[in-house]
Amino acid sequence: QGCTQKYIVKNYFYYYLFKFSAALGEEIFYITFLPFTYWNIDHSVSRRMIIVWSIVMYIGQVSKDILKWPRPLSPPVVKLEMRTNAEYGMPSTHAMAATAISFSFFIATMNQYKYPLELGLVAAFVFSTLVCLSRLYTGMHTVLDVIGGALISAVLLVLLYPAWDTIDHLLLTSPFCPLFSIVVPLVLCYNYPKLDYYSPTRGDTTTILGAAAGATVGFWLNNQYAASAYTGKSIRPGFPLISSTMVFVLARFFVGILVVLLTRWLMKSMVLGMLGYRYKFPIRDLAARRRLEVEVPYKFVTYSSVGFTATVIVPLLHELLGLM
């Protein structure tokens, strides 16, 4: 089902504000903000955000396809998005992601850096609220979907927080970490709840778990063979505006993003080409790319390569270019 209603924008401020806010819960935000935090702020903060983000998003995506609550009817609402319209509504994973990322960032940094706690709390609240409101404005969720998503994410944060340090330590030091980080997400992706029709939730979940798996293997590898995560060498001493010049911050970011995007493009082309050869379909065949035996491996390998590149290859390149 597509977006068939015609509409007239009467308030461009709200229109662009909430269209932008909606993007803060999508891939374009994840692929920029999470690596930026790792390259320029603090490795430990980035690790904790990725752990929370992947767990929260998996639970949210699976919950949608188990509950099968429909999205708002159109009409009366006008839907400003088309891609996610095929998904179910409850809970809002945009609301879950925004709540998880903003508040895990606040919790992870409040004891490491000196800044007004009230300011950090307000920033996390405003960020998550804007994303939640964007889902109502774009007609993609009901109020209950959004509240449910935010509450589920908050509960998961409370439950995960006491185990943060333990999970982080195990992922950095356990010899089984690389195997666990790859096998468990793959098993979860291949055993994703089945629907009567195609929905992008399985592909999106595979993307998230793949990126987290690649990043986790990178964290472990760095801790084993590069600077230990506990020595302080891999942890930034402060926020970028304080600890280094904006030139170095921007240089690290743009070099890193360029490499990450190039990795995504190369791996996607290679893996799809190999799968197309194996299962005898043209790369541009959208229906074939949605099949389980194609979608899961191509998205998992592509985005695990992205996560690994962001945590291992890009920092090595930064060091080689003198950007550290």
Side-chain angles (χ1 to χ4, degrees):
Q1 295 179 356
C3 205
T4 57
Q5 285 182 287
K6 294 182 179 179
Y7 59 89
I8 298 174
V9 178
K10 294 183 177 180
N11 190 315
Y12 281 95
F13 173 77
Y14 288 138
Y15 178 79
Y16 287 113
L17 173 65
F18 290 125
K19 290 285 281 187
F20 173 77
S21 300
L24 297 178
E26 297 173 358
E27 181 184 352
I28 189 173
F29 175 73
Y30 304 144
I31 209 169
T32 53
F33 179 71
L34 294 176
F36 179 88
T37 304
Y38 188 78
W39 300 330
N40 290 301
I41 299 179
D42 193 313
H43 289 188
S44 66
V45 172
S46 180
R47 290 197 305 269
R48 283 160 172 75
M49 283 199 298
I50 289 173
I51 290 169
V52 172
W53 169 66
S54 58
I55 293 173
V56 164
M57 288 300 287
Y58 175 76
I59 291 174
Q61 296 284 72
V62 169
S63 298
K64 279 186 178 182
D65 290 338
I66 291 176
L67 294 174
K68 298 182 179 180
W69 286 21
R71 289 187 181 270
L73 292 176
S74 177
V77 304
V78 176
K79 294 186 177 180
L80 305 184
E81 295 179 13
M82 295 181 65
R83 179 184 176 276
T84 57
N85 195 36
E87 297 179 7
Y88 288 107
M90 178 67 169
S92 167
T93 46
H94 272 71
M96 293 184 71
T99 303
I101 289 177
S102 59
F103 282 94
S104 62
F105 182 84
F106 167 66
I107 294 169
T109 57
M110 66 180 183
N111 292 325
Q112 296 194 42
Y113 303 107
K114 293 182 179 180
Y115 65 87
L117 294 184
E118 296 81 4
L119 179 62
L121 186 61
V122 168
F125 180 78
V126 169
F127 179 91
S128 56
T129 300
L130 281 175
V131 176
C132 290
L133 290 177
S134 75
R135 307 316 289 159
L136 302 178
Y137 183 87
T138 55
M140 302 311 297
H141 285 286
T142 65
V143 174
L144 187 59
D145 294 343
V146 170
I147 293 176
L151 286 178
I152 292 171
S153 192
V155 170
L156 289 173
L157 266 174
V158 171
L159 294 176
L160 288 170
Y161 177 69
W164 266 14
D165 291 339
T166 302
I167 294 172
D168 189 48
H169 177 75
L170 288 173
L171 291 181
L172 289 173
T173 61
S174 172
F176 302 105
C177 172
L179 181 64
F180 180 87
S181 299
I182 298 297
V183 172
V184 172
L186 270 177
V187 170
L188 293 175
C189 292
Y190 274 108
N191 290 277
Y192 193 82
K194 293 178 174 60
L195 297 176
D196 297 330
Y197 63 93
Y198 177 79
S199 167
T201 48
R202 184 184 65 202
D204 291 344
T205 303
T206 305
T207 294
I208 293 165
L209 294 185
T216 302
V217 172
F219 297 150
W220 181 87
L221 197 65
N222 286 336
N223 190 62
Q224 297 297 315
Y225 300 104
S228 170
Y230 297 107
T231 63
K233 293 181 181 179
S234 64
I235 298 179
R236 307 292 175 189
F239 285 103
L241 289 176
I242 299 172
S243 65
S244 60
T245 66
M246 282 298 297
V247 173
F248 276 88
V249 170
L250 294 175
R252 281 195 292 264
F253 176 71
F254 285 115
V255 168
I257 285 299
L258 181 63
V259 174
V260 164
L261 294 178
L262 181 62
T263 300
R264 184 179 66 168
W265 176 75
L266 285 174
M267 294 305 299
K268 182 178 180 180
S269 300
M270 288 175 56
V271 176
L272 275 178
M274 294 171 63
L275 291 170
Y277 178 79
R278 168 67 176 82
Y279 294 107
K280 311 299 181 187
F281 68 88
I283 292 179
R284 297 187 181 277
D285 187 342
L286 184 59
R289 287 164 55 173
R290 290 175 169 178
R291 287 155 44 187
L292 174 68
E293 65 271 22
V294 175
E295 183 177 59
V296 170
Y298 113 70
K299 290 202 169 185
F300 191 88
V301 172
T302 297
Y303 284 91
S304 61
S305 300
V306 167
F308 183 83
T309 297
T311 53
V312 176
I313 306 301
V314 171
L316 288 175
L317 184 59
H318 285 165
E319 189 170 358
L320 182 65
L321 295 174
L323 298 175
M324 299 299 287

